[in-house]
Amino acid sequence: MSLSASSRIVYSNPALAPLADILAVEIEEITHLKLKTSKSSPFSRDIYLTFTKDPTIKDEKHKVTVSKYATIEAENYNAVAMGSVTLIQAISQNGKAYSIPKMKVVDHPDAEYRGLLVDVARQYHSIDTLKEVVEMCRLYKVRYLQLHLSDDQAFTFPSTAYPALAEYGNDYTMDEMKDLAR
């Protein structure tokens, strides 16, 4: 299935609109194609996000089917998001053209808890680096990211009650933390 500027990311339920927007940005980063998003029915070369009615697709299991258009379906938002990563990983380039191979993938994680701990209290990382870690967690389908923000070596979490706790200069502002959470 070739991707072009006329391809769209469509969704069946308004709850999937934020994921459609995220997927559009990610596809643009990979292909430089700005795909429009909308709540409608899919046409040829579109990407369709939907909640499944298939009783065998439960929990975090997801199905990605690519023929004349790509369908990503699952029972819940998080599982559809994992399916969108599977689709991103399948995008290939031939010259200036981008395509997704015809395929049917039914997948689910092997472990319910998939997490990563970053100890920023002992080893400071910039907010930009932490944003890259968040993106990598998405691409590796890691669901939980824990930031170890305070320890006897450092207190990196912003405090309005005790601002002197962050005395070493390796701390984050409240605006940085809110931006990272978004």
Side-chain angles (χ1 to χ4, degrees):
M1 181 191 97
S2 63
L3 285 175
S4 68
S6 64
S7 297
R8 304 172 303 152
I9 301 171
V10 296
Y11 48 90
S12 63
N13 187 304
L16 292 169
L19 179 58
D21 293 338
I22 290 167
L23 186 57
V25 169
E26 292 170 336
I27 289 175
E28 183 179 2
E29 289 174 356
I30 296 167
T31 66
H32 307 290
L33 296 171
K34 288 187 173 199
L35 304 186
K36 293 181 180 175
T37 65
S38 69
K39 183 181 182 307
S40 63
S41 297
F43 297 120
S44 182
R45 298 183 183 155
D46 284 348
I47 298 169
Y48 183 52
L49 309 177
T50 188
F51 293 125
T52 188
K53 294 179 173 115
D54 183 342
T56 66
I57 307 293
K58 292 283 185 195
D59 301 319
E60 290 187 303
K61 187 182 254 188
H62 51 276
K63 182 163 70 170
V64 179
T65 307
V66 180
S67 57
K68 67 178 190 174
Y69 60 87
T71 302
I72 303 166
E73 58 184 309
E75 179 181 59
N76 59 62
Y77 182 96
N78 289 332
V80 176
M82 283 193 288
S84 71
V85 171
T86 300
L87 186 81
I88 288 170
Q89 293 169 343
I91 294 173
S92 62
Q93 181 179 8
N94 185 3
K96 292 184 179 183
Y98 293 91
S99 63
I100 304 168
K102 288 187 178 185
M103 63 181 180
K104 182 177 180 181
V105 175
V106 179
D107 195 14
H108 62 89
D110 286 337
E112 185 177 325
Y113 187 90
R114 300 166 316 281
L116 173 67
L117 166 69
V118 179
D119 187 348
V120 295
R122 292 189 183 99
Q123 178 62 51
Y124 179 79
H125 296 282
S126 71
I127 284 292
D128 289 337
T129 298
L130 294 178
K131 286 179 180 180
E132 289 176 6
V133 170
V134 169
E135 289 177 16
M136 292 306 296
C137 284
R138 170 157 160 71
L139 294 175
Y140 282 96
K141 301 177 185 176
V142 173
R143 189 151 179 209
Y144 301 99
L145 173 61
Q146 178 182 347
L147 299 178
H148 184 75
L149 293 164
S150 64
D151 212 310
D152 60 338
Q153 285 85 5
F155 191 90
T156 62
F157 193 79
S159 173
T160 54
Y162 302 100
L165 283 175
E167 61 188 43
Y168 300 108
N170 288 342
D171 59 316
Y172 304 104
T173 67
M174 188 59 75
D175 288 340
E176 287 175 323
M177 296 306 290
K178 286 178 181 179
D179 183 50
L180 181 62
R182 275 190 301 278

